[in-house]
Amino acid sequence: MQQTLHGKIALVAGATRGCGRAIAVELGRAGATVYVTGRTTREQRSEMNRPETIEDTADLVTAAGGTGVAVRVDHLEPAEVAALVARIDAAHGRLDVLVNDVWGGEGHVEWGKPLWEHSLEGGLRMMRLGLHTHIITSHAALPLLIRNPGGLVVEVTDGTDEFNRNYRDSFFYDLTKTSVSRIALAQSAELKPFGGSAVVVTPGFLRSEFMLDHFGITEENWREGAAKAPHFILSETPTYLGRGVAALASDPDRARFTGRSLSSTQLAQEYGLTDVDGSVPDIWRYFAEHGTAEDGPVDPTGYR
């Protein structure tokens, strides 16, 4: 990728692993200075208890051709977020791209349980992690982002708006992930008078570090995961969405997408991109045409 974002400043909130890390790296590959935040550092882990760190992400950003800056931030703490934004302002006086990818709620989801049987404490914690963090971060960062026209906010969720018209099999998960789309829509309306835009993006079935470990596989033998979950044959790497977001951020006409829900595949098709293996996986179209039932092998022909 050309250095289309040279001189631009980006903040990826929740960049420790998964899509946040990949988006940060691809923004760096396009030349941006990328502030990468999260709670896991080389000295201390978050409640996720994962080995990936924000310092590792920053190093990957720099190695890709950008400038990675790791800052430990708990995005549930307004004072910490405000201090981060003040640091960016002092160093650069601008913010061009804000990516809200904070999540960390996997351990609180209780699939298939109705609201009244789900842990209330866990469900509310999930909403705090997946919604309040986004709101707190945008509240602090948007005054800096609107200082220059053309600012972009990218909200990351799970599921396209079309797919999320279906119930997601967990009250708190459903509410959290669908509400992120509404946050993006609201920001698109509020940023428009300032020349800014906001979108919500989603990966498909993601081969994140967490998911690979969950299936007991690696990126090298990922297809073996389809034996446990047939739809995994349509899975994708975090880089797939990362490439799409970097292309969107580099697009001078990106405002045409403001307020929209965009999948990794839609971005890939728009900008002529592929996943790292050269494929263009499209699990959301598969679900639309075949449903989500896992009642046998999945034929990926025409969907990757």
Side-chain angles (χ1 to χ4, degrees), residues 23 154-158 199-203 241 245 248 262-263 267:
I23 291 170
V154 178
E155 295 284 341
V156 183
T157 192
D158 173 32
V199 300
V200 61
V201 302
T202 179
L241 181 60
V245 171
L248 178 69
L262 300 167
S263 70
L267 289 167

Side-chain angles (χ1 to χ4, degrees), residues 225-303:
K228 300 180 179 180
H231 291 125
F232 200 66
I233 199 65
L234 299 175
S235 65
E236 62 195 56
T237 72
T239 298
Y240 190 44
L241 181 60
R243 288 173 172 176
V245 171
L248 178 69
S250 301
D251 183 351
D253 192 31
R254 61 183 172 272
R256 70 189 187 279
F257 294 115
T258 193
R260 286 184 54 183
S261 162
L262 300 167
S263 70
S264 49
T265 306
Q266 288 173 306
L267 289 167
Q269 292 170 340
E270 176 69 24
Y271 295 110
L273 306 170
T274 69
D275 204 344
V276 295
D277 62 358
S279 68
V280 184
D282 192 358
I283 198 169
W284 302 116
R285 182 167 60 87
Y286 182 91
F287 285 154
E289 296 176 0
H290 298 279
T292 60
E294 295 188 324
D295 52 3
V298 171
D299 183 359
T301 304
Y303 297 97

Side-chain angles (χ1 to χ4, degrees), residues 42-61:
R42 289 169 182 166
E43 289 73 40
Q44 181 180 359
R45 291 189 179 187
S46 73
E47 66 195 67
M48 292 282 293
N49 195 29
R50 295 282 311 176
E52 302 85 15
T53 72
I54 55 172
E55 293 94 342
D56 293 341
T57 301
D59 288 347
L60 290 169
V61 171

